Amino acid sequence: MSKVAVVTGGTRGIGEAISMALKDVGFVVAANYAGNDERAKAFAERTGIKAFKWDVGDFEACKAGLRRVEDELGIVDIVVNNAGITRDGMIHKLELDQWHEVINTNLNSMYYMTKPVIDEMRARGHGRIINISSINGQKGQMGQTNYSAAKAGVIGFTKALAQETARKGVTVNCICPGYIDTDMVAAVPEKVLESIVAGIPVGRLGQAEEIGAMVAFLASEKAAFITGAVMTVNGGQYMANG
């Protein structure tokens, strides 16, 4: 029986590539999304992957959403915490709601999405939690104190949970993408984007499929000895182990 993988923010950008990569290697995928019904419907029709709507920043919604996935597709074996938002601004201009929105969606969601499934994973002796952080969670980024703090927290969450679950057969790993060719990056002003690419040693933006391939590997049995790892996928822009 195929294992079930849930991908948050799984119908567009990096999340869409992750959903497709997991489907391609045989997982039954549930792609979570937050609000764009039209885009999610088009994604589901194009890919054959079922889309489920709920807010990852709401604990009760996560519990209900995961129950629905299990009722319709089966027990969840892999959770990919990919959903994230930005609300950029220098901290002297950053509003309180901009801080809380980013922390809640990007960091609190780690708990909200993991807590409902972790007991069952531990009981079965198998599971995969794969968290998507960011290069800016490793090095920081001006104008992103909220985002950088949340994504750094994702790294800490990953390392702590990995220690808690290692002997139960549940691996927990983190991927830190650099600048990836998505709609979010495409919205960056052209001159700014040119300067970003100039600082990437491989000389280009990353592709969402490259993140998807890393997730598919970490979800596989070949990665059973890897836990608590922080994978940097950034073209050499920032070289670090965590």
Side-chain angles (χ1 to χ4, degrees), residues 96-164:
L96 184 61
D97 62 341
Q98 293 175 298
W99 176 268
H100 283 306
E101 285 177 41
V102 170
I103 296 297
N104 195 44
T105 298
N106 296 11
L107 180 57
N108 290 344
S109 62
M110 298 295 116
Y111 175 88
Y112 298 162
M113 284 296 299
T114 301
K115 177 67 173 177
V117 300
I118 199 67
D119 284 347
E120 181 63 30
M121 287 182 177
R122 288 167 59 91
R124 288 199 316 274
H126 188 277
R128 299 281 187 268
I129 306 292
I130 303 167
N131 302 320
I132 308 301
S133 180
S134 167
I135 185 175
N136 292 340
Q138 296 177 295
K139 71 176 186 60
Q141 177 60 42
M142 184 173 67
Q144 287 193 329
T145 53
N146 50 4
Y147 185 83
S148 295
K151 290 300 188 178
V154 170
I155 295 172
F157 176 91
T158 298
K159 292 181 176 182
L161 184 59
Q163 295 177 59
E164 294 181 11

Side-chain angles (χ1 to χ4, degrees), residues 205-216:
L205 296 173
Q207 297 299 308
E209 291 76 14
E210 292 172 308
I211 308 301
M214 178 64 79
V215 171

Side-chain angles (χ1 to χ4, degrees), residues 37-99:
D37 294 323
E38 185 176 337
R39 180 110 178 219
K41 181 181 178 181
F43 162 85
E45 291 174 349
R46 184 177 70 257
T47 64
I49 295 172
K50 190 158 189 178
F52 294 79
K53 184 178 182 179
W54 74 81
D55 177 6
V56 298
D58 181 328
F59 185 40
E60 294 302 322
C62 288
K63 290 194 292 184
L66 287 163
R67 280 197 301 270
R68 183 182 164 207
V69 169
E70 294 195 336
D71 287 344
E72 296 187 22
L73 301 181
I75 297 297
V76 172
D77 198 71
I78 296 97
V79 172
V80 183
N81 287 309
N82 165 74
I85 61 172
T86 57
R87 299 289 185 269
D88 294 349
M90 303 290 277
I91 198 164
H92 63 281
K93 296 181 178 179
L94 195 70
E95 299 295 338
L96 184 61
D97 62 341
Q98 293 175 298
W99 176 268

